[in-house]
Every structure is written in C-alpha cells, then in structure tokens.
Amino acid sequence: MLHSLPRTSLFALLLLSYVVAPSLAEEVKVPKKENFHLFLLIGQSNMAGRGKVTPDDQIENPKVLMFNKEGQWGPAVDPMHFDKPKMVGVGLGRTFGLEVSKANPEVTIGLIPCAVGGSPIASWNPGARDKATNTHPYDDAMKRAKAALQAGELKGILWHQGESDSGKGKSEIYQQKLTELIARVRKELDAEDVPFIIGQLGQFEENPWNDAKRQVDQAHQAIAKSDSNSAFVSSEGLTHKGDKVHFNAESYREFGRRYAKAYMDLQSKSGDQ
C-alpha cells in the first residue's frame, strides 16, 4: 500500500512515524492522583548526577517513573537529567525513588528532574538565567513541576547545591538565599509543609573544604535544624569519581538511599504515611 503513495506523501509518513512513535512509546499509564507521589529534584550537578551508567541503572520499574524532558511520564532510568547531555549520568534520584517505593508499595513514585549543573543559588531566583546552559533554572523547574502536578501530589523536594556558592561574597549570604528559596518554592507549588531534603557537599580528602564551603555546610545544617519539615543528609564516607567534585556512581546510589531514609524518617515523625 505504501508503494502506491506519491513520493512526497511517503516521505511525510515516514518522517511522522520517526518523530511521533518514540515519544508515544515513552508514555506510561499513571495511577490515580492520590496514589502518585511526586518528588522535585533541584540543585546543581551533584543532584543531576555525573556517575557512570551501567545496564542495571536502566532497568525499568513500573512503580518508579520520571517526568522527562518532553513533559511525559516514563520509566525512571539513568541518566534522568538533561541539563548537560554530554556529561549527565547516574545520580541519586533513581535510587531514592526505588527505596521510597519499596517502603510504600501501594503508591507509584514520580520523579521530576530539574537540576542544572554549575548553577549558583542566584540563578534559582524567578527570571534568573543560567548563562552556561542558557536556561532559567527556577522558572523552568516551576513550569515542569506544575505540569507534573496535574497527575500527582507533591510529597517532597530534594536539593543538592552549594558548590557554586562556596566562595567569598556568596557563602556569607547563602543561608538567607536558601531559606528564601525554600519558602518561595513551597508557596508557588501550594505545598507549605512539603519536606525539603538537603544533601551535604562532597567531603573529599583531595579537595579539602575552605572557610566558604564550611559556611555553606553550616547553612545547610542550620536550616534543617530550624525547619521541622526539612532534613540534612550526610555525605560522610562517599567518594568522588576522580575529578574531586562529583560523586562516583555507587556513592550517588548510597546518597539516594540516605535521602530516602531522611525523607521516611520525617514521614514517621509527622505520622504522614
């Protein structure tokens, strides 16, 4: 039948199948809204993930989904983020989702990846642009989160950021900036009590902390202590992948398990299962 079509029509049909079919194949059926628990993943490269991807990292689990770049729900497989396609890899998000799913088998977990490598906290202000990626981290994240929330309920926000603010003139105001960001995100997403999980910066012997990085760490810990709906996740014992900046794949997976435990501990304290 295809041979009977004019050459231009045949070309158009083939092009349409190439463009449309892959995106349709990625779509999955999502559960009822109350059974679809969503988590927003924001920050810079150590949230996006830079670990080496293995076949195991791409095994699909129908109970753990991700909101992809095209704004569709699909299986949560690494790499999840798309901030810097040539660099992105294994992160902490997928393991976090798998761990929370194991503890809550009656629901489906939905991950919303929005991290941007190299982004300072200033670029997480409304209207701010990240020059390196030519994106608007905060605005883009809010747009994606609101689209994803049409299908589910926001249950947590995962944050890992601070390396780009570990310098003079930035670290001194970091606690104030992060406190404002947390309040802004919760308000905009109508989630005033949603847990906010903060991961510690990498502690690598080959790249010792300066005073500015210690100040960012103190800010992370202080916010978690002062906000009953926040938690701090230690990076103790985790290792880098050789660049002294990014965790290796196994450390990201362990970090994901620690984030999941911190989240579930908060849930246990609040009685919200």
Side-chain angles (χ1 to χ4, degrees), residues 177-197:
K177 293 295 183 181
L178 182 54
T179 300
E180 292 171 352
L181 180 144
I182 295 171
R184 185 189 312 120
V185 172
R186 283 173 169 166
K187 182 177 181 180
E188 184 154 350
L189 297 181
D190 192 23
E192 299 291 343
D193 298 324
V194 70
F196 194 94
I197 315 298

Side-chain angles (χ1 to χ4, degrees), residues 120-121 164-175 177 216:
I121 199 167
S164 290
D165 288 272
S166 297
K168 189 174 181 181
K170 293 183 178 181
S171 62
E172 296 90 339
I173 58 174
Y174 185 82
Q175 183 170 338
K177 293 295 183 181
V216 168

Side-chain angles (χ1 to χ4, degrees), residues 2 9 26 34 38 50 52 65 75 77 92 97 106 109 114 147 176 187 194 215 218 220 225 239 257-258 260-261:
L2 287 176
S9 298
E26 292 174 0
E34 61 269 24
L38 309 186
R50 299 293 189 254
K52 184 178 180 180
L65 308 179
V77 296
L92 63 89
E106 72 283 359
I109 304 302
C114 296
Q176 176 188 343
K187 182 177 181 180
V194 70
Q215 193 161 24
Q218 290 167 6
H220 286 156
K225 288 179 181 178
T239 56
R257 289 187 281 270
R258 294 180 186 183
K261 184 181 185 303

Side-chain angles (χ1 to χ4, degrees), residues 208-226:
W209 285 5
N210 56 19
D211 289 341
K213 189 164 286 189
R214 281 190 284 270
Q215 193 161 24
V216 168
D217 181 68
Q218 290 167 6
H220 286 156
Q221 297 197 45
I223 290 172
K225 288 179 181 178
S226 64

Side-chain angles (χ1 to χ4, degrees), residues 77-118:
V77 296
D78 282 317
M80 287 178 46
H81 282 79
F82 43 84
D83 57 315
K84 295 182 179 180
K86 293 182 179 180
M87 301 174 65
V88 74
V90 170
L92 63 89
R94 179 174 177 273
T95 301
F96 169 88
L98 291 170
E99 291 295 310
V100 175
S101 176
K102 283 195 294 186
N104 299 275
E106 72 283 359
V107 303
T108 297
I109 304 302
L111 306 172
I112 312 168
C114 296
V116 178

Side-chain angles (χ1 to χ4, degrees), residues 229 265-273:
N229 289 317
D265 285 348
L266 279 179
Q267 296 301 91
S268 296
K269 289 179 183 179
S270 68
D272 183 13
Q273 301 298 323

